Amino acid sequence: MKRILSVLIAAYLVAAASSAFGADDPMVKLVDGPLQFLRPAGGKIVSVEGNVLTLEMDSSDSIRPGTRLNILKEGEPFRHPVTREVLGKAESVSGKAEIREVRAGLITGIVIDGTARAGDRLRLSETKVKTVFVQGGKVDWSIADDLYRRLKASGRIDMLDTALETEDADKAVGEARRLGAEVALLLTVKEADKGMLLKEQLFWVYDGSKFFEAEVKIDAALTKELKFGEQFFAPLSGEAIFRYELPFNATLLTTGDFDGDGKQEIAVSTGKDVRTYLPAVDLLPLWELKGSVFGRHVWIDAVDLNNNGRDELVVTIMGAGSGLPDKGASDSMLSQAQSGDIVSVIYELSGSEFKKLWQTNYFLRKSGTGLIGQQYLNSEGFTGEVFRIIWDGEYKRGEKAGLPKGVNIYDFTLIEGQANERFVLSYDEKGFLNVFDDKGIRIWRSAAGVGGFLNTFKKQAVASYLEGGEWSIKDRLLSRNKETLVVHRVPLAEMVRGMGFKSSLVKSFWWNGFSMEERTLIDDIPGAAVDYALAGDKMLILASPFLGLKFENILKGDSPFGSTLYIYSVRGR
């Protein structure tokens, strides 16, 4: 009943946001305008003079100058295999034509590609038009997302996702060409009185020519309505838009702009080294950080704490060896941390190498746009309160984070209520989620756990006959809009959880003022999701196959070891 009520509320809010503007909704122009050029249409060529065509369309009411159609050459007849009755004639694409002029009794066009002759058919089929949606960096996400949703819901557009943000039309067309799209849509914005001017341009990818342009004024009220409603949209499940097979076992994942070029790079830890990539059709290798020989990475993050426009790479290592390195030691000497000791290092990209900026014996983790830390004790794991790490010309320990008792550094994220009040959403050691108010009082607990954590350690018992207990480095809790994302792994057999995981999913939790609303954001991820990250409207998920082995590779004679990196689009989810 609660879930049904949530759906009804969501439908009401979306409808209210639309009806509040009605015929004055400026987004209608940006949706209906492009669709006029993409509607199914048909006709034939009456005459050809050089490159100029005289056309006869089945219906001239909906055809617009700039529309492009395939030229179809009629071939041999095809017959019924038994009766030999002529059923029709085969058609093959011989070129492409563009409508140039539409007026009473006369429609003309030109040949854009290929050849044409009198009697050839013209057709814009009902197949969805592959389109790449590119927006400038200053475009409000909720506005762009609303336009994206509406165009996709028209049924005429097959949206191809891209991480590119630009105001350069040539770059947008180039990206669309790389992805095999027919159309590039570029959305840009500039400030206007009490709002913004939103500009939409559409280009044919074949030759980069612009066939539609519109500019509308978006006031603050519409932006507010869209922002308020975006958290209620229903979830969508779907296939990953990219899948990369990594030839090594990867354990941790983060994204960051390490070179300051405005693009998000991917950093993947093998547990020993960190390798960075730029996502494209294939993963493009960038820079590598050679790390510990004996120690193991237990956390990586990216944050621009020193505010220089480039993200630092933060690595936390649980070491093994014979002693901690001194300040002048090389990075490889981080392997010398004693068993159970924690070493965290902050690196920054300098040229083509990551250089060490700071080293400490705290756990470190990104929180919001800042960095937090916590001390370690061999017999306990986490010890003491969580505190902030600040930048004041150097990295320093700052004030306490003020978390509820028993909440440790990797347990929690901050969430907002309806009146922007702050709550703490936190895992406990059994994998249940809890919400604490600003007084540290627990006001909600999940009905079920997430199935345990991958990094669980035994505490050192004070006596040999006592059980020391366990402590865990939890899975990430990522924030998106006002939602919190949580990984849930599905065991191969519920009764025997130690056998491994057959699949994973990502759930979204939203605080409605009384409890957490739950929905599935991405379903049926193959294998065990070991880590994940957000990069704009993309979600990256690092997964390990069942038992850590790719059995299909064994049959091929390839290495069975490795991980898979999935990239999903979460725009509109």
Side-chain angles (χ1 to χ4, degrees):
M1 183 65 185
K2 184 188 296 183
R3 185 62 187 161
I4 295 174
L5 181 60
S6 298
V7 173
L8 292 175
I9 291 172
Y12 170 78
L13 288 171
V14 173
S18 300
S19 62
F21 295 92
D24 297 327
D25 183 354
M27 301 298 286
V28 171
K29 183 177 181 181
L30 303 186
V31 176
D32 290 350
L35 294 179
Q36 292 179 8
F37 296 84
L38 306 178
R39 291 170 180 158
K44 69 177 181 180
I45 298 174
V46 177
S47 65
V48 180
E49 293 185 19
N51 202 39
V52 180
L53 309 174
T54 301
L55 312 173
E56 182 181 287
M57 302 303 296
D58 297 340
S59 173
S60 60
D61 294 338
S62 60
I63 203 74
R64 295 288 182 272
T67 301
R68 291 191 175 181
L69 305 96
N70 287 324
I71 302 171
L72 302 175
K73 181 180 179 180
E74 196 173 74
E76 296 296 320
F78 56 90
R79 302 173 181 272
H80 191 282
V82 177
T83 66
R84 307 304 297 167
E85 178 186 0
V86 175
L87 301 178
K89 291 187 177 181
E91 292 179 333
S92 60
V93 177
S94 63
K96 192 174 290 289
E98 179 179 304
I99 305 296
R100 282 300 175 91
E101 187 176 8
V102 179
R103 56 178 175 165
L106 180 65
I107 301 175
T108 61
I110 63 169
V111 178
I112 298 297
D113 182 40
T115 60
R117 64 184 182 181
D120 284 349
R121 296 290 302 174
L122 296 172
R123 185 175 300 136
L124 178 56
S125 73
E126 296 185 3
T127 305
K128 293 181 181 180
V129 179
K130 291 184 178 180
T131 303
V132 169
F133 189 106
V134 180
Q135 66 191 64
K138 296 180 181 179
V139 178
D140 187 280
W141 189 92
S142 58
I143 294 291
D145 189 60
D146 181 63
L147 178 60
Y148 181 100
R149 291 173 187 274
R150 296 196 201 190
L151 287 170
K152 190 172 183 179
S154 71
R156 288 299 301 142
I157 292 178
D158 178 14
M159 286 293 190
L160 305 180
D161 288 294
T162 176
L164 176 67
E165 288 189 355
T166 184
E167 296 184 356
D168 188 320
D170 290 338
K171 290 182 179 179
V173 171
E175 177 74 353
R177 185 174 293 118
R178 183 184 70 82
L179 294 174
E182 300 170 67
V183 172
L185 185 154
L186 178 61
L187 195 65
T188 56
V189 69
K190 60 183 179 181
E191 292 184 4
D193 183 38
K194 297 181 180 179
M196 64 183 76
L197 285 176
L198 196 64
K199 185 176 182 179
E200 180 188 43
Q201 302 175 78
L202 280 88
F203 305 85
W204 294 117
V205 172
Y206 174 75
D207 56 5
S209 64
K210 180 165 55 179
F211 65 91
F212 178 79
E213 179 177 322
E215 194 170 67
V216 298
K217 185 175 181 180
I218 305 294
D219 60 29
L222 177 58
T223 304
K224 182 178 180 181
E225 290 287 351
L226 293 174
K227 283 183 176 293
F228 180 70
E230 69 186 10
Q231 59 192 313
F232 294 101
F233 284 109
L236 298 172
S237 294
E239 297 294 326
I241 58 175
F242 290 106
R243 170 178 171 164
Y244 303 105
E245 298 296 338
L246 304 178
F248 53 86
N249 286 327
T251 58
L252 297 165
L253 171 71
T254 192
T255 59
D257 181 8
F258 300 112
D259 59 359
D261 66 350
K263 298 179 181 179
Q264 293 283 302
E265 291 90 34
I266 300 171
V268 177
S269 168
T270 67
K272 304 291 185 180
D273 309 316
V274 178
R275 303 173 186 180
T276 59
Y277 302 91
L278 186 67
V281 175
D282 294 313
L283 281 180
L284 303 179
L286 297 173
W287 318 283
E288 187 170 353
L289 173 67
K290 288 292 185 181
S292 55
V293 178
F294 303 106
R296 181 166 70 91
H297 298 171
V298 294
W299 197 268
I300 62 172
D301 254 323
V303 60
D304 184 15
L305 196 64
N306 58 14
N307 297 311
N308 66 353
R310 290 177 291 140
D311 283 325
E312 297 104 292
L313 176 64
V314 182
V315 182
T316 297
I317 304 167
M318 178 170 284
S322 59
L324 290 173
D326 58 31
K327 292 183 179 179
S330 65
D331 291 337
S332 63
M333 291 181 67
L334 292 173
S335 61
Q336 296 175 0
Q338 290 179 346
S339 177
D341 282 334
I342 291 296
V343 175
S344 291
V345 188
I346 297 179
Y347 299 91
E348 188 170 80
L349 189 67
S350 177
S352 60
E353 295 183 1
F354 283 101
K355 300 294 186 182
K356 183 170 65 176
L357 300 183
W358 191 59
Q359 180 180 311
T360 182
N361 295 116
Y362 307 141
F363 293 102
L364 291 181
R365 182 207 129 187
K366 180 181 179 181
S367 178
T369 58
L371 196 64
I372 54 177
Q374 190 174 14
Q375 291 179 309
Y376 170 79
L377 188 63
N378 204 341
S379 61
E380 293 294 326
F382 307 111
T383 187
E385 294 192 44
V386 177
F387 49 84
R388 305 187 191 285
I389 302 294
I390 61 173
W391 170 259
D392 185 17
E394 60 180 345
Y395 298 96
K396 297 180 180 179
R397 177 171 173 168
E399 63 185 6
K400 295 176 181 178
L403 297 173
K405 185 177 179 180
V407 174
N408 294 305
I409 184 171
Y410 300 120
D411 296 352
F412 78 98
T413 189
L414 302 179
I415 61 175
E416 287 186 2
Q418 295 297 300
N420 296 322
E421 64 272 42
R422 191 191 83 157
F423 299 95
V424 174
L425 175 65
S426 172
Y427 288 117
D428 59 27
E429 286 299 325
K430 294 183 178 180
F432 288 80
L433 290 167
N434 303 268
V435 174
F436 298 88
D437 64 15
D438 57 357
K439 297 180 178 62
I441 299 173
R442 189 174 69 185
I443 56 176
W444 177 85
R445 188 173 192 252
S446 62
V450 296
F453 307 106
L454 298 178
N455 289 312
T456 299
F457 308 91
K458 292 286 186 181
K459 292 182 179 179
Q460 190 178 72
V462 295
S464 59
Y465 55 85
L466 295 176
E467 184 68 36
E470 294 182 337
W471 63 280
S472 300
I473 294 178
K474 314 297 194 300
D475 297 320
R476 293 182 199 268
L477 294 170
L478 295 181
S479 296
R480 175 177 177 265
N481 303 325
K482 287 193 174 183
E483 297 176 307
T484 300
L485 308 183
V486 178
V487 166
H488 183 89
R489 286 173 283 269
V490 181
L492 182 65
E494 283 292 335
M495 300 302 293
V496 190
R497 287 181 174 267
M499 290 183 63
F501 302 97
K502 63 180 180 181
S503 65
S504 304
L505 50 89
V506 176
K507 291 187 176 182
S508 167
F509 290 82
W510 171 73
W511 181 251
N512 64 14
F514 304 98
S515 66
M516 296 296 282
E517 295 285 346
E518 176 185 343
R519 68 184 178 109
T520 298
L521 187 68
I522 298 179
D523 198 0
D524 202 24
I525 303 161
V530 296
D531 205 358
Y532 69 127
L534 285 171
D537 56 9
K538 304 293 188 299
M539 179 178 290
L540 295 79
I541 299 177
L542 188 62
S544 174
F546 174 59
L547 297 179
L549 298 174
K550 298 180 179 180
F551 292 101
E552 65 275 17
N553 284 12
I554 298 176
L555 299 177
K556 298 176 184 177
D558 297 332
S559 171
F561 300 103
S563 302
T564 305
L565 177 63
Y566 298 95
I567 299 183
Y568 292 84
S569 172
V570 290
R571 182 190 287 272
R573 298 189 183 196

